[in-house]
Amino acid sequence: MSFHFNSFSPTEGQGKKWPVTVRKAKQLGYTEPDPRDDLSGLDVTRKRTILGRLAGSCTECQVEINSLTIFRNLTSKWKQHKAAAEKEGKCVHFVGSIDMASREVKVGIESFEKTHPIAALQGGDNVISFYTKRYGDNPLIVQGAGAGGDMGVSSDLLKVLSHIAW
């Protein structure tokens, strides 16, 4: 999803058309075998739920998914959404989040200030931000490859978490 939004909704200038980014991401091996798993938000939801469970808080999480597939005409809807964000000086990305305290997993589109770490992503890179009591409003950032088999930063985080004795 990061590749799609980095291509479709870059921080500056015009992006590529949505169908073009989906085909390119599939060719590069960045999508699930069926890209609808990505566009529906199911893949992001699945990964966030696994991370929440491994962290010990989301054994039974409430899940909210704002799927991209709800839009019949993705390109025109996204142009409108992107234009509204740009008018506010923001960029648009598809993200997943886990609120450990409320045990909620949320997946969908959010607008970000252009100074936010997610706005600086390029290609298939991804970012995980940890907002905790320790990090407060200045989160710990883990950034790296976000797609393509075992290259994903989520996959790496899962490997690390599997070796930690909680």
Side-chain angles (χ1 to χ4, degrees):
M1 293 306 296
S2 185
F3 176 83
H4 296 309
F5 277 86
N6 293 336
S7 300
F8 178 76
S9 182
T11 305
E12 300 294 329
Q14 295 298 314
K16 296 182 171 106
K17 293 188 178 189
W18 192 258
V20 173
T21 69
V22 174
R23 277 193 299 274
K24 182 70 173 176
K26 186 160 176 63
Q27 289 171 352
L28 293 170
Y30 290 166
T31 67
E32 291 298 308
D34 183 345
R36 290 176 293 189
D37 284 346
D38 295 309
L39 299 173
S40 68
L42 290 177
D43 184 55
V44 174
T45 303
R46 189 172 30 245
K47 289 175 181 167
R48 295 308 160 267
T49 303
I50 290 168
L51 289 173
R53 286 180 181 155
L54 285 171
S57 179
C58 285
T59 54
E60 293 184 28
C61 289
Q62 182 174 346
V63 177
E64 178 184 324
I65 305 172
N66 292 309
S67 169
L68 296 178
T69 57
I70 62 171
F71 297 109
R72 297 207 188 279
N73 185 346
L74 275 173
T75 303
S76 69
K77 290 287 185 183
W78 286 119
K79 282 183 180 176
Q80 292 171 8
H81 197 89
K82 181 182 168 190
E86 286 177 345
K87 197 173 188 178
E88 296 177 9
K90 297 181 177 183
C91 65
V92 179
H93 277 270
F94 191 79
V95 298
S97 64
I98 307 167
D99 185 322
M100 301 298 273
S102 65
R103 296 179 182 219
E104 293 179 331
V105 174
K106 292 184 180 180
V107 174
I109 298 177
E110 290 188 32
S111 299
F112 295 88
E113 298 292 335
K114 292 184 179 181
T115 56
H116 191 281
I118 203 165
L121 294 175
Q122 295 189 10
D125 280 358
N126 214 338
V127 65
I128 298 176
S129 305
F130 295 90
Y131 292 88
T132 65
K133 288 179 186 175
R134 178 181 178 101
Y135 298 112
D137 292 334
N138 188 19
L140 170 66
I141 302 290
V142 177
Q143 182 177 336
D150 287 335
M151 294 173 34
V153 70
S154 292
S155 175
D156 292 342
L157 187 56
L158 287 172
K159 288 175 190 171
V160 169
L161 288 174
S162 71
H163 294 293
I164 294 174
W166 296 97

